[in-house]
């Protein structure tokens, strides 16, 4: 039975900065931190140690934090899988005109997005979204199309390095989870989440979603 391995990129600079100053990221291109690079190497060692896996193909989003994570992870492999071209379908959910801006500045200019119930969940909602951004329904459609294309190319197991909300959407679609549950799935940096199946999937390891 084939497997798909989903890995969120290692810690990025904006991830680290958000510990003390909230910046809205989305598809804003931010590099890995040194910690994030260590996480990427470590997940490569973890996957290399899984003798039951047969990763023949790998792919990332087009953003640098996933491309670097994938490259550092694959450096730990004794046999390097075929790397497919980076695919924008695996990019993080777009936050439109809010990307790269301080959260406090955005909420000062657009106060509805702080507290109004029809706007305030723009970061992880299947209908609400930032101006010129995406909601999770839209992310699901383009991420699933990218997944199907990569899955059809893979000879056996497929490694995808992507982003928090995109991985949530892929899991939700593959496992047929409710939208509310999908939006709350815990996706940690550089931690493999493994599903097995073909067109019907079930969770193998990564976390319990039930």
């Amino acid at each position: 039975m084939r497997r798909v391995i989903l890995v969120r990129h290692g810690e990025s600079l904006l991830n680290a900065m958000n510990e003390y100053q909230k910046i809205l990221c989305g598809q804003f291109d931010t590099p890995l931190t040194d910690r994030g690079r260590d996480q990427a190497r470590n997940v490569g060692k973890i996957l290399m140690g899984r003798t039951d896996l047969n990763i023949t193909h790998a792919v990332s989003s087009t953003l640098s934090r996933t491309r670097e994570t994938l490259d550092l992870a694959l450096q730990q492999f004794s046999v390097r899988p075929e790397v497919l071209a980076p695919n924008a379908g695996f990019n993080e959910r777009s936050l439109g005109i809010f990307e790269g801006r301080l959260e406090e500045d955005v909420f000062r200019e657009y106060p509805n997005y702080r507290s109004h119930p029809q706007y305030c969940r723009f970061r992880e909602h299947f209908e609400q979204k930032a101006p010129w951004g995406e909601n999770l329904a839209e992310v699901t459609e383009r991420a699933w199309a990218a997944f199907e294309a990569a899955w059809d190319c893979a000879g056996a197991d497929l490694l995808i390095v992507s982003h928090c909300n995109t991985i949530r959407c892929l899991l939700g679609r593959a496992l047929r989870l409710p939208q509310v549950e999908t939006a709350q799935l815990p996706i940690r940096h550089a931690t493999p989440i493994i599903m097995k199946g073909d067109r019907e999937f079930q969770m193998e390891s990564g976390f319990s979603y039930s």
Side-chain angles (χ1 to χ4, degrees):
M1 185 173 291
R2 295 172 65 192
R3 295 174 175 87
V4 54
I5 302 96
L6 299 168
V7 174
R8 183 185 179 187
H9 59 83
E11 180 190 72
S12 72
L13 180 59
L14 281 192
N15 291 145
M17 291 175 65
N18 276 334
E19 294 295 322
Y20 58 89
Q21 187 178 45
K22 296 295 184 182
I23 300 173
L24 299 176
C25 186
Q27 295 181 5
F28 185 81
D29 208 2
T30 175
L32 296 182
T33 62
D34 288 341
R35 181 186 182 196
R37 295 184 182 96
D38 288 341
Q39 290 172 331
R41 296 184 186 98
N42 186 60
V43 75
K45 293 174 183 176
I46 291 171
L47 294 175
M48 181 62 197
R50 286 282 303 261
T51 57
D52 57 319
L53 296 178
N54 179 24
I55 301 174
T56 60
H57 291 73
V59 65
S60 73
S61 82
T62 62
L63 301 177
S64 63
R65 56 191 182 271
T66 60
R67 290 188 285 109
E68 186 176 12
T69 296
L70 178 58
D71 182 62
L72 291 171
L74 294 186
Q75 288 178 22
Q76 315 310 310
F77 283 42
S78 57
V79 178
R80 188 180 177 94
E82 180 178 344
V83 178
L84 304 175
N87 193 322
F90 295 123
N91 284 2
E92 179 59 287
R93 171 261 302 113
S94 171
L95 289 176
I97 63 174
F98 293 167
E99 290 184 350
R101 298 188 59 189
L102 286 171
E103 182 182 77
E104 62 185 65
D105 291 343
V106 167
F107 289 158
R108 187 181 304 112
E109 188 174 349
Y110 300 90
N112 281 345
Y113 286 86
R114 181 194 298 275
S115 57
H116 194 290
Q118 293 183 0
Y119 297 91
C120 66
R121 296 182 60 199
F122 66 93
R123 279 173 278 209
E124 59 266 324
H125 197 268
F126 279 82
E127 295 179 2
Q128 296 181 25
K129 56 184 175 181
W132 303 107
E134 294 177 294
N135 59 38
L136 295 193
E138 293 166 325
V139 174
T140 299
E141 290 307 307
R142 49 103 160 154
W144 193 255
F147 165 70
E148 287 189 317
W151 188 247
D152 288 343
C153 288
D157 297 340
L158 172 66
L159 171 61
I160 299 173
V161 180
S162 186
H163 305 264
C164 180
N165 283 294
T166 312
I167 292 174
R168 284 172 170 164
C169 290
L170 288 170
L171 290 169
R173 175 71 174 265
L175 302 173
R176 301 182 179 181
L177 302 179
Q179 291 182 353
V180 171
E181 191 172 342
T182 297
Q184 297 174 350
L185 290 173
I187 311 296
R188 295 180 292 172
H189 292 289
T191 301
I193 298 171
I194 303 175
M195 295 186 296
K196 59 184 178 181
D198 190 1
R199 297 300 176 183
E200 299 288 333
F201 293 92
Q202 62 186 50
M203 183 63 66
E204 180 172 295
S205 64
F207 59 83
S208 174
Y209 61 88
S210 60

